[in-house]
């Protein structure tokens, strides 16, 4: 049985005041969330604040990105694995489509970041997903396969995925209010699992695959009810405590 995970990706939102209010709201509503792993991924600058507020609660925290170089060094503007560990992060989002499409992160860089995160003992949430034009051109599986194959290309990559979570986020569904239907999402999730199975059958059965893209309280239960969807990576709705908590509850089986 794969334990569901619901992770909030706050993206570039928040202030010290709004972070305090949001965490307060989440803590207040977590008592009836059972059997689900819950995490929030604030902007780097609020990680210390979030760590302090969430210490000792059942909610984990993580970052939205990390440097592909481990440790420390002359990499202006970057944040390392060691820094995330120092702040008690459990998770780190890797290869989000906004990183790929706005900041030019390619498959090889995403795979390297995934390895660095795993070597540090962090759990990477590795994002894959196709653009609208790729879906319309019938290239969804080819794109997702290419993104996955970069992760699976050698033994270390496959081993790294044993400590990782995959998030399927169709780019056309992110922040658009246009959710993939449960059937559309399930089709790609099943494809991801079958692709991983060609390298490691046990891993394919065990790895958690989250869905992301306009998940809301009103559509979460149906999406999470699909056989190969093991929770969600939530953007906009994770900025509202009540909505995020409702989505966490929808992941309880
Ligand atoms: P939305 O839930 O706002 O569509 O964002 C999804 C996402 O990109 C999470 O990483």
């Amino acid at each position: 049985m794969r334990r569901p995970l619901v992770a909030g990706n706050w993206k570039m939102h928040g202030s010290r005041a709004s972070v305090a209010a949001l965490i307060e709201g989440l803590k207040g509503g977590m008592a009836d969330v059972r059997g689900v792993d819950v995490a929030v991924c604030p902007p780097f600058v609020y990680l210390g604040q979030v760590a302090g507020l969430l210490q000792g609660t059942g909610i984990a925290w993580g970052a939205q990105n990390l440097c592909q170089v481990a440790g420390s060094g002359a990499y202006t503007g970057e944040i390392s694995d060691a820094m995330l560990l120092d702040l008690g992060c459990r998770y780190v989002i890797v290869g989000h489509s906004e990183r790929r499409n706005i900041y030019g992160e390619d498959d090889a860089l995403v795979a390297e970041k995934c390895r660095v995160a795993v070597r540090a003992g962090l759990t990477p949430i590795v994002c894959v997903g196709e653009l609208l034009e790729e879906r319309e051109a019938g290239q969804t599986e080819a794109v997702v396969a290419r993104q996955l194959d970069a992760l699976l290309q050698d033994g270390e990559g496959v081993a790294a995925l044993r400590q990782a979570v995959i998030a399927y986020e169709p780019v056309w569904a992110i922040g658009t209010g246009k959710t993939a239907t449960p059937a559309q999402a399930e089709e790609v999730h099943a494809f991801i699992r079958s692709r991983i199975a060609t390298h490691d059958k046990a891993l394919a059965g065990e790895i958690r695959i989250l869905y992301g893209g306009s998940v809301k309280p009103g559509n979460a239960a149906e999406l999470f009810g699909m056989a190969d969807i093991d929770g969600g990576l939530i953007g906009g709705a994770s900025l509202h405590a009540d909505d995020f908590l409702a989505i966490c509850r929808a992941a309880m089986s």
Side-chain angles (χ1 to χ4, degrees):
M1 236 351 235
R2 298 182 295 266
R3 186 177 163 94
L5 167 65
V6 177
N9 174 8
W10 293 1
K11 306 192 179 182
M12 195 173 74
H13 293 287
S15 62
R16 280 187 294 172
S18 75
V19 164
L22 179 49
I23 295 291
E24 189 67 22
L26 293 180
K27 281 161 74 171
M30 275 299 289
D32 56 345
V33 176
R34 283 189 208 92
V36 178
D37 289 337
V38 175
V40 294
C41 299
F44 288 128
V45 291
Y46 300 122
L47 273 171
Q49 182 189 2
V50 165
L53 294 169
L54 287 180
Q55 203 70 249
T57 70
I59 307 174
W61 56 95
Q64 299 173 17
N65 185 24
L66 86 169
C67 184
Q68 72 273 25
V69 179
S72 60
Y75 300 95
T76 301
E78 291 293 310
I79 304 289
S80 76
D81 57 342
M83 295 169 180
L84 300 185
L85 285 181
D86 194 27
L87 286 171
C89 289
R90 183 177 308 165
Y91 298 98
V92 58
I93 298 170
V94 169
H96 190 278
S97 65
E98 288 147 17
R99 301 295 324 165
R100 292 177 186 263
N101 298 319
I102 306 173
Y103 300 101
E105 295 195 8
D106 62 14
D107 296 332
L109 179 62
V110 172
E112 191 52 34
K113 289 186 174 194
C114 176
R115 289 163 197 233
V116 166
V118 166
R119 281 184 213 134
L122 294 157
T123 298
I125 301 174
V126 189
C127 302
V128 298
E130 80 287 3
L131 299 165
L132 181 58
E133 54 266 37
E134 292 167 336
R135 172 160 285 259
E136 287 174 343
Q139 294 168 350
T140 298
E141 291 193 354
V143 169
V144 171
R146 191 202 71 221
Q147 294 169 334
L148 284 173
D149 289 352
L151 301 165
L152 290 161
Q153 61 180 307
D154 58 22
E156 192 193 355
V158 175
L161 276 194
R162 293 198 189 101
Q163 312 303 323
V165 174
I166 302 273
Y168 169 57
E169 298 205 312
V171 180
W172 48 273
I174 295 177
T176 57
K178 227 195 246 177
T179 324
T181 64
Q184 276 176 323
E186 170 61 21
E187 196 181 353
V188 182
H189 281 235
F191 171 74
I192 292 169
R193 232 179 263 294
S194 69
R195 191 85 184 180
I196 295 172
T198 62
H199 294 265
D200 187 326
K201 230 169 156 192
L203 172 62
E206 285 158 17
I207 193 163
R208 292 186 288 188
I209 308 177
L210 313 184
Y211 169 78
S214 297
V215 179
K216 307 287 176 212
N219 60 25
E222 217 189 339
L223 285 160
F224 299 164
M226 304 308 284
D228 291 296
I229 301 183
D230 307 313
L233 184 56
I234 319 300
S238 73
L239 299 171
H240 306 279
D242 289 349
D243 287 352
F244 188 64
L245 287 164
I247 293 168
C248 293
R249 277 186 222 106
M252 289 165 59
S253 39

